[in-house]
């Protein structure tokens, strides 16, 4: 038997349901069965719980993009992993579960020194930050980098990655009391309002945008010549615990459209990022998993886990994130 948390109805955090599953999970030939210890909670899970996530499967479904745990069994064609190995894995949905069976190429064996708790906090944050800063943004030594949502899971890793690459980093938050958290990673911290009020905070080579809507046009003005902006989220469309169609519409309509000629004249680049689409490509999964191995050492990435909630308290895990009360990552623990 295993347990899983499902989205059966859209709505507030209380709509998440914990269910027992009696069916035995068996790994297919190319799969690895993992006894999950921790599942990562992401902003996207909140959007899908509200029915605001077009990529989500039809209800009922189990959300969750990432887990860490112990290999319980491997399929007949799997090599390089054995029962008992400590691993992290990307799960394209299904991660809010005490057991998962996933293809071998989505599983990464952990170095002995890396804690299981931190491991569940890594896959989404790392892959997203890597795609945005390195694959798309080509951030390099001396660049000036602006990271929005700097206190979240992705933001924390993005700051660490940019600093390790030798960039000068500015982190943004909507919560003044979290500025010290950003500064603790060696970045300058501003609230969104402080940035908007001070036009001299500018000439960025790279911006990581998470709010979407009008914030993109505002941040574009801060880019230096040849600057790149990566748009990865629509945070501005979320608030109040449930879907708010007016808020969503305002964010979507506020999102700018870029004529190529205007980008040419301004010497700027705009990227859109959907990591899920990249991770559907087996070659990219292999490439990024190899990069993770190297980057863990090269960039010294260290996810910050704010809190681990027992699976029975998943509602509180979602509330901590959506009420902007978390710093770094929130996890679900399976005992
Ligand atoms: N495109 C992709 O492939 C991809 C992949 C992963 C994540 N993302 C996006 O990256 C962003 C960060 O994701 P994450 O999982 O790292 O986030 P997270 O850890 O859940 O971040 C939560 C933090 O976001 C800030 N925030 C800003 N606007 C908010 C709002 N309307 N409601 C609640 N919190 C808000 C708050 O920080 P402050 O209090 O400091 O403002 C909050 O504490 C999200 O937009 C997510 O959708 C995109």
């Amino acid at each position: 038997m295993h347990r899983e948390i499902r989205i059966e109805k859209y709505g507030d955090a209380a709509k998440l349901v914990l269910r027992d599953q009696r069916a035995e999970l068996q790994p297919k030939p190319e799969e690895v069965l993992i006894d999950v210890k921790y599942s990562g909670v992401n902003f996207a899970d909140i959007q899908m719980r509200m029915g605001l996530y077009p990529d989500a499967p039809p209800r009922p479904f189990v959300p969750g993009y990432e887990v860490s745990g112990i290999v319980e069994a491997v399929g007949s064609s799997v090599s390089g992993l054995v029962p008992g190995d400590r691993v992290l894995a990307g799960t394209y949905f299904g991660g809010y579960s005490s057991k998962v069976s996933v293809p071998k190429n989505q599983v990464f064996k952990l170095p002995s020194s890396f804690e299981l708790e931190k491991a569940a906090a890594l896959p989404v944050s790392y892959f997203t930050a890597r795609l945005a800063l390195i694959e798309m943004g080509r951030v390099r030594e001396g660049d000036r980098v602006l990271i929005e949502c700097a206190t979240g899971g992705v933001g924390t890793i993005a700051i660490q990655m940019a600093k390790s690459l030798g960039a000068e980093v500015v982190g943004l938050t909507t919560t003044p009391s979290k500025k010290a958290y950003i500064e603790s990673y060696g970045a300058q911290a501003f609230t969104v309002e402080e940035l908007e009020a001070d036009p001299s905070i500018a000439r960025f080579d790279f911006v990581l945008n998470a709010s979407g809507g009008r914030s993109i046009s505002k941040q574009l003005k801060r880019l230096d010549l040849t600057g790149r902006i990566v748009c990865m989220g629509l945070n501005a469309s979320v608030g109040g615990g449930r879907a708010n169609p007016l808020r969503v519409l305002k964010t979507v309509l506020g999102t700018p459209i870029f004529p190529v000629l205007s980008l040419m004249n301004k010497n700027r680049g705009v990227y859109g990022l959907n990591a899920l689409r990249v991770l559907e490509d087996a070659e990219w999964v292999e490439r990024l998993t190899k990069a993770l191995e190297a980057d863990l050492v090269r960039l010294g990435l260290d996810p910050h886990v704010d809190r681990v909630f027992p699976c029975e308290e998943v509602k509180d895990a979602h509330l901590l994130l959506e009420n902007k009360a978390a710093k770094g990552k929130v996890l679900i623990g399976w005992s």
Side-chain angles (χ1 to χ4, degrees):
M1 194 190 80
H2 66 279
R3 298 210 280 172
E4 59 187 30
I5 293 158
R6 296 169 29 156
I7 293 176
E8 298 181 349
K9 289 182 181 160
Y10 295 138
D12 60 24
K15 292 279 190 302
L16 294 162
V17 194
L18 179 64
R19 300 258 183 232
D20 289 343
Q21 277 295 347
R22 301 204 176 273
E24 276 292 303
L25 271 182
Q26 290 290 343
K28 292 187 185 135
E30 73 292 353
E31 283 185 351
V32 178
L33 177 64
I34 302 170
D35 180 20
V36 176
K37 299 299 178 199
Y38 301 99
S39 305
V41 179
N42 287 287
F43 201 76
D45 306 341
I46 288 159
Q47 290 169 298
M48 60 186 86
R49 195 201 72 220
M50 293 178 176
L52 295 177
Y53 201 75
D55 287 327
R59 289 167 297 158
F61 69 97
V62 178
Y65 279 135
E66 56 194 349
V67 299
S68 67
I70 311 291
V71 173
E72 191 170 300
V74 296
S76 52
S77 41
V78 170
S79 58
L81 283 172
V82 293
D85 280 346
R86 299 160 66 257
V87 292
L88 64 74
T91 52
Y92 311 131
F93 306 101
Y96 282 23
S97 178
S98 65
K99 282 192 202 296
V100 296
S101 192
V102 289
K104 156 87 187 340
N105 69 348
Q106 292 166 213
V107 182
F108 175 84
K109 187 172 167 178
L110 290 169
S112 57
S113 57
F114 209 87
E115 295 162 33
L116 274 180
E117 204 178 282
K118 283 186 188 266
L122 198 59
V124 171
S125 300
Y126 168 74
F127 289 133
T128 308
R130 163 100 202 176
L131 285 165
L133 272 72
I134 297 180
E135 308 289 350
M136 292 176 169
R138 311 274 160 178
V139 171
R140 60 198 161 178
E141 193 170 357
D143 275 359
R144 271 178 62 75
V145 165
L146 177 68
I147 306 285
E148 207 190 349
C149 251
T151 67
V154 176
T156 302
I157 292 296
I159 293 177
Q160 293 177 16
M161 195 175 272
K163 292 286 298 178
S164 298
L165 293 168
E168 199 185 309
V169 184
V170 171
L172 282 184
T173 174
T174 61
T175 310
S177 60
K178 290 195 203 164
K179 281 167 67 175
Y181 175 81
I182 295 172
E183 285 160 357
S184 73
Y185 288 100
Q188 263 187 299
F190 294 99
T191 62
V192 173
E193 288 77 16
E194 284 167 348
L195 180 80
E196 284 185 11
D198 187 346
S200 73
I201 310 167
R203 297 191 81 85
F204 289 101
D205 302 289
F206 175 84
V207 172
L208 184 57
N209 177 280
S211 284
R214 294 187 196 289
S215 69
I216 299 171
S217 310
K218 290 177 185 168
Q219 291 168 6
L220 259 184
K221 294 190 184 131
R222 313 271 171 163
L223 280 181
D224 200 354
L225 293 170
T226 78
R228 293 82 65 200
I229 183 167
V230 174
C231 304
M232 65 163 179
L234 287 174
N235 276 5
S237 68
V238 178
R242 285 160 182 263
N244 177 341
L246 205 63
R247 193 169 174 147
V248 175
L249 192 70
K250 210 173 138 191
T251 309
V252 172
L253 293 179
T255 301
I257 293 167
F258 300 99
V260 174
L261 288 179
S262 106
L263 292 175
M264 280 166 70
N265 286 335
K266 294 200 163 115
N267 289 284
R268 288 169 181 160
V270 179
Y271 280 94
L273 168 60
N274 182 336
L276 191 62
R277 292 275 174 275
V278 179
L279 295 167
E280 282 164 359
D281 182 309
E283 277 180 29
W284 269 91
V285 171
E286 202 177 323
R287 176 171 167 175
L288 289 170
T289 310
K290 274 194 190 132
L292 170 61
E293 199 162 7
D295 285 351
L296 269 186
V297 181
R298 183 174 74 105
L299 304 176
L301 303 176
D302 186 22
H304 175 75
V305 176
D306 185 312
R307 266 181 79 179
V308 181
F309 288 86
C311 56
E312 296 82 3
E313 295 173 22
V314 62
K315 172 184 148 213
D316 298 318
H318 271 219
L319 286 175
L320 196 77
L321 274 191
E322 63 192 86
N323 292 335
K324 304 186 178 183
K327 294 191 206 90
K329 204 78 191 182
V330 174
L331 305 180
I332 299 164
W334 304 90
S335 46

